[in-house]
Amino acid sequence: MAYRVLVAQFMHETNTFSKLPTTLEDYRKRWLIEGDAMVPRFTGTKNEVGGYIDAAKKYGWEPVWAGAANATPSGKLTKETWEHIRDMIVGAAKKAKAVGKLDAVCLSLHGAMVTETEDDAEGALLEALRGVVGPDVPLVATLDLHANATVKMAKNANALVSYRTYPHIDGYERAVQAAALVQEALEGKKQPRCLLVQPAMLEGADHGRTTQPGLMRDLLAKADAFEKEPGINVVSIQAGFTWADIPYTGPSIAVSHEPAAEARAKAVAAAILDEIWKRRDESSSDYRPISDAIAAARAGVGKEGPLVVADGTDNPGGGGYNDTTPVLQALIDAKVENVAFGTIFDPGTVQQAIKAGVGAEIDVVLGGHTDPSMGGPVKAKAIVKMLSDGEFKNDGPMNAGVGTSMGPTAVLRVGGIDVVTISNRIQTIDLQVFLSQGIDPCTKSVVVVKSVQHFRAAYAPIAREVILVDSGGICSPDITRLKFTKLRRPIWPLDGVNDPYAGAGARA
């Protein structure tokens, strides 16, 4: 008889410093799918749900498709949003249990979701599911590398399997890994359980960057070696998501292990944690002022390939508002030509462009509406170059085959700049942000992306140079700008901490 395995996804990276609440409508703009509709949406895609779909076929499981929900990072989930999606998943588990045995649960989570009522939303979800399925049913979850993972998550899961790449191009592989462990548990070959250790650190592990040799790659090499040991199933390193005022923010180590290997699992976690602590000052991040990007743009006129300017502090993938304007205004003031700018979130201006029509010249007040203190609206004349529904499928290394909706979209020509103006906030991770709008980024002198790191998977290969700028947005790397009230203390680097296990900071 086939094993019945529940599969569900519930993802959000919550920036608690954002003024934008996360609603059900925000999920619908990305995806909010119930039940079997998950299958046609994600079959053949290279994300976690696609990985679970393929695993179910490989192992002959009888899948119970609970639902899939994912929204662009922003502020806390409203109580209604949290409870609706939580109940969709937990309700599916209860229904499956009521009509027959439920043998396992496979989840795709982020690990940094915060709601109006839950600082540890994934921990609460896992606890609720564990209460339905009982203590002996294998329950695993994939996590984002930037999860603020918790002891409650580890206590209620048999394994937490985190991404090992940043940009995150291995979601599919992590789901396949998690499903393989579930299959071994179902066959009685393994009895996995999970532990988690979190140091007194707000930041660490170079924020998880893996595009160059350095700390995170070294840590992952250690994790790979430990996973080859008998009794050690999965060693996950979470770099944490800094922009969350909760007790659990920061890096952590999760180890899935066999019952007899608990002591060794704790030693493994400690060894990796000690390396993170020892090298806590290492950082490969190189934020530069906007003036450096303007100088590079001027110096690169006529050179092959675009200068890629990443507006990292307005990264929608970290909760950025996607409408700050300092970079755009600087390019306009400097009269830089042949620029593609992706993107500015401004639904009102998109509607203005739609009413005017392609070819029209309009007076725009573009961007800067969410928080003008981070750069007010750009007042300019713009030519409407293209209008579309903003729909495309990613074809780059990250989330290949997954559909993306920018909502109604207008390409506006402002001076020498083509601005992709959108109605749904998205991070620029795929070339289709431009290609789907009739813009070939390879032919541009400058390409601006609203992203901090994920863009590198698709854009670094075409760039003549990459510059990461700090435009003063909500995702600033300067943590002194953030006011923490719930964070565990003492903690490095905010306090005088000389021990990673200091005070209440260490959680194991």
Side-chain angles (χ1 to χ4, degrees), residues 137-159:
V137 168
L139 192 164
V140 300
T142 59
L143 298 181
D144 192 285
L145 184 152
H146 296 104
N148 290 323
T150 69
V151 170
K152 183 184 282 188
M153 292 183 207
K155 179 182 177 182
N156 288 285
N158 297 90

Side-chain angles (χ1 to χ4, degrees), residues 259-494:
E262 182 175 0
R264 179 55 184 159
K266 289 181 178 179
V268 164
I272 296 177
L273 188 153
D274 288 347
E275 185 77 4
I276 293 174
W277 176 258
K278 183 172 67 175
R279 299 171 64 178
R280 60 192 178 278
D281 291 318
E282 291 187 26
S283 173
S284 62
S285 176
D286 181 23
Y287 279 93
R288 292 159 68 180
I290 296 172
S291 58
D292 283 8
I294 298 300
R298 286 172 165 160
V301 173
K303 292 183 180 179
E304 186 176 353
L307 165 70
V308 174
V309 178
D311 188 359
T313 58
D314 190 33
N315 169 30
Y321 296 139
N322 200 177
D323 74 342
T324 66
T325 56
V327 175
L328 179 59
Q329 189 66 63
L331 289 165
I332 294 170
D333 293 344
K335 296 182 170 57
V336 179
E337 298 287 324
N338 195 27
V339 179
F341 195 104
T343 57
I344 288 286
F345 169 68
D346 192 334
T349 297
V350 172
Q351 289 303 313
Q352 180 188 359
I354 290 171
K355 289 177 183 176
V358 173
E361 183 177 72
I362 57 177
D363 293 312
V364 297
V365 182
L366 182 61
H369 300 300
T370 308
D371 188 343
S373 71
M374 297 178 182
V378 170
K379 298 179 180 179
K381 291 188 177 298
I383 297 171
V384 181
K385 300 296 292 183
M386 182 175 174
L387 297 168
S388 78
D389 62 6
E391 304 283 335
F392 63 85
K393 283 190 176 181
N394 294 331
D395 61 8
M398 188 171 172
N399 289 333
V402 176
T404 296
S405 174
M406 300 188 291
T409 297
V411 177
L412 303 177
R413 174 73 57 82
V414 180
I417 306 168
D418 288 332
V419 184
V420 181
T421 311
I422 61 176
S423 301
N424 295 340
R425 293 167 52 252
I426 64 148
Q427 183 178 183
T428 311
I429 65 170
D430 199 277
L431 296 179
Q432 286 296 331
V433 169
F434 296 107
L435 293 172
S436 67
Q437 304 307 306
I439 300 168
D440 183 353
C442 295
T443 67
K444 293 297 183 177
S445 180
V446 178
V447 173
V448 179
V449 296
K450 293 279 188 173
S451 178
V452 69
Q453 177 76 358
H454 286 326
F455 75 92
R456 294 180 187 272
Y459 288 86
I462 70 168
R464 71 169 184 267
E465 183 182 0
V466 172
I467 292 182
L468 176 66
V469 299
D470 183 348
S471 66
I474 195 174
C475 298
S476 170
D478 181 1
I479 58 174
T480 63
R481 299 183 193 177
L482 305 177
K483 290 183 172 61
F484 291 98
T485 61
K486 292 185 175 182
L487 186 65
R488 64 195 184 282
R489 307 297 282 265
I491 197 167
W492 182 90
L494 299 180

Side-chain angles (χ1 to χ4, degrees), residues 5-27:
V5 179
L6 183 137
V7 178
Q9 180 188 67
F10 191 3
M11 297 190 75
H12 194 257
E13 185 175 68
T14 306
N15 187 322
T16 66
F17 300 98
S18 168
K19 61 172 64 175
L20 300 176
T22 303
T23 66
L24 282 169
E25 184 58 27
D26 292 315
Y27 273 91

